[in-house]
Amino acid sequence: MTLPRHVTIFEMGARDGLQNEDAVIATDEKVRYIDLLSETGLKWIEATSFVSPKAIPQLADATEVFARIRKAPGVRYPVLVPNLKGYERARAAGADAIAVFTAASERFTKRNINMTIDESLATFRDVVSSAKHDGCWVRGYISTAFGSPFGDGVTAQMVVDVASKLMAMGCDELSIGDTIGVGVPSQVDELVPLLAARIPLDLIAMHFHDTRGTALANVYAALLNGISKFDSSSGGLGGCPYAPGATGNVGTEDVLYMLERMGIETGVDIAKVRAASRFIAGVVDHALTSKAYQAMEAAEAAAIS
Ligand code: HMG
Ligand code: MG
């Protein structure tokens, strides 16, 4: 098996990360955080969500955040949309890249977006068709691809089925989510070849949460299976309020550290990501979980003392 020479990182901190914080974070701080991330070399920064503010009050200021961030040349800023209303809000704010999101688990889909999987696909068919008509780039998420928080069984074939339907409606790319961080490398080994039989591998990203410490192992398994796009979150922020027990995404610094040491290019400056993480750590006012971030902070503290 050959490893990719280049990997693309999709930064999730501002959306997946901040949607899961208890504290209300000021719009100014969100804008500053995203502006810092824009200086790192990241080419994809998920900026916010145009979902119902009742569902995710943490991102109720999506319009203002999107308007105020400095859009760096060559960087895309996708936003989450759950329905046509969200799409219209996103377009009015100026978004040209969107992400729709469903799941492999019926129970999770119901909790998260109050739809069955089929209803969500019908909703997204209209959203994706409008978005493609308007020249937008579209990502499709499939959550709970490695297990559901509600006990309903999820199989790799169920994931492939939803993935195929999202691609058929015109998504440019898919992101396969381990929403609650239960996945292990053998599941990655089973799922990726099944997906690859239907969808070009370069159109598939993997989105691992690190709830049980398996995320980086899953990244490595995915690399060996030919995946070269990964979602991660600066400092390891993240989680879905509708997935009980879900904690943060794999840390961007953790992925960058591993890839750099393996000689795989990302074009992203780990020190600058750390600076963004350090800024947001002061805002959310709790420790960040990324091990590489912690190690860099500890090394600096030791050097100073
Ligand atoms: P609903 O209550 O069934 O929808 O929610 P509704 O159509 O009956 O609307 C209820 C109210 O929300 C109405 O307002 C609508 O106008 C309003 P009211 O009349 O009561 O005043 N509304 C909206 N307002 C603003 N923007 C909108 C919008 N839509 C409706 N877009 C709905 C259904 C889908 C809207 C809701 O459940 C929702 O927004 N859910 C989003 C949940 C969410 O964001 N979860 C986290 C993201 S997913 C994730 O994190 C996983 C991921 O990271 C991958 C992984 O880890 O696996 C992507
Ligand atoms: Mg997530």
Side-chain angles (χ1 to χ4, degrees):
M1 296 182 201
T2 52
L3 292 166
R5 292 181 51 176
H6 181 90
V7 156
T8 304
I9 304 284
F10 286 69
E11 175 56 45
M12 292 287 133
R15 194 282 302 168
D16 205 329
L18 299 186
Q19 77 180 10
N20 204 42
E21 291 297 326
D22 291 335
V24 177
I25 296 169
T27 305
D28 281 354
E29 317 272 38
K30 293 174 182 168
V31 170
R32 175 82 183 124
Y33 178 43
I34 296 170
D35 285 350
L36 286 168
L37 290 169
S38 292
E39 291 169 12
T40 59
L42 285 159
K43 297 284 180 230
W44 295 88
I45 300 174
E46 204 164 79
T48 186
S49 275
F50 290 87
V51 297
S52 161
K54 287 180 189 147
I56 305 283
Q58 293 90 336
L59 302 182
D61 57 357
T63 296
E64 206 183 343
V65 167
F66 199 85
R68 287 181 45 199
I69 54 175
R70 190 179 54 79
K71 318 280 188 314
V75 180
R76 301 293 298 265
Y77 298 89
V79 296
L80 233 54
V81 304
N83 51 22
L84 272 174
K85 177 166 187 166
Y87 177 67
E88 278 152 19
R89 288 178 59 218
R91 288 294 289 160
D96 65 0
I98 64 155
V100 296
F101 53 107
T102 184
S105 150
E106 275 304 346
R107 288 189 199 163
F108 175 74
T109 311
K110 193 72 190 163
R111 294 281 186 107
N112 196 37
I113 50 176
N114 196 25
M115 300 177 211
T116 64
I117 294 171
D118 280 349
E119 285 166 352
S120 74
L121 292 170
T123 300
F124 294 138
R125 207 160 282 124
D126 293 339
V127 173
V128 175
S129 137
S130 298
K132 295 315 296 175
H133 175 266
D134 297 341
C136 292
W137 180 87
V138 182
R139 173 177 248 212
Y141 281 104
I142 303 154
S143 290
T144 60
F146 297 89
S148 160
F150 302 114
D152 49 333
V154 170
T155 64
Q157 202 48 57
M158 289 159 80
V159 179
V160 173
D161 183 47
V162 177
S164 304
K165 288 175 178 162
L166 283 170
M167 286 309 285
M169 68 177 75
C171 286
D172 293 292
E173 174 180 292
L174 299 180
S175 174
I176 311 297
D178 184 11
T179 319
I180 55 168
V182 286
V184 293
S186 53
Q187 285 179 284
V188 177
D189 288 340
E190 181 195 5
L191 178 58
V192 176
L194 290 175
L195 288 167
R198 306 281 283 273
I199 299 160
L201 269 183
D202 61 348
L203 304 185
I204 300 174
M206 305 294 283
H207 176 113
F208 295 115
H209 285 259
D210 199 26
T211 314
R212 290 165 183 79
T214 55
L216 214 48
N218 291 334
V219 169
Y220 184 60
L223 284 169
L224 289 174
N225 278 282
I227 297 285
S228 59
K229 294 181 178 180
F230 293 95
D231 299 356
S232 63
S233 182
S234 104
L237 289 172
C240 176
Y242 295 94
T247 58
N249 294 77
V250 64
T252 302
E253 293 91 333
D254 297 340
V255 177
L256 290 176
Y257 175 81
M258 184 177 85
L259 295 178
E260 268 178 44
R261 294 292 304 267
M262 291 171 69
I264 298 174
E265 295 165 15
T266 62
V268 185
D269 183 334
I270 191 170
K272 290 183 177 172
V273 174
R274 173 197 177 197
S277 297
R278 189 185 260 183
F279 168 77
I280 204 66
V283 174
V284 299
D285 205 22
H286 62 72
L288 300 182
T289 54
S290 158
K291 297 268 195 198
Y293 170 79
Q294 290 170 6
M296 287 186 285
E297 292 289 296
E300 185 176 303
I304 290 168
S305 64

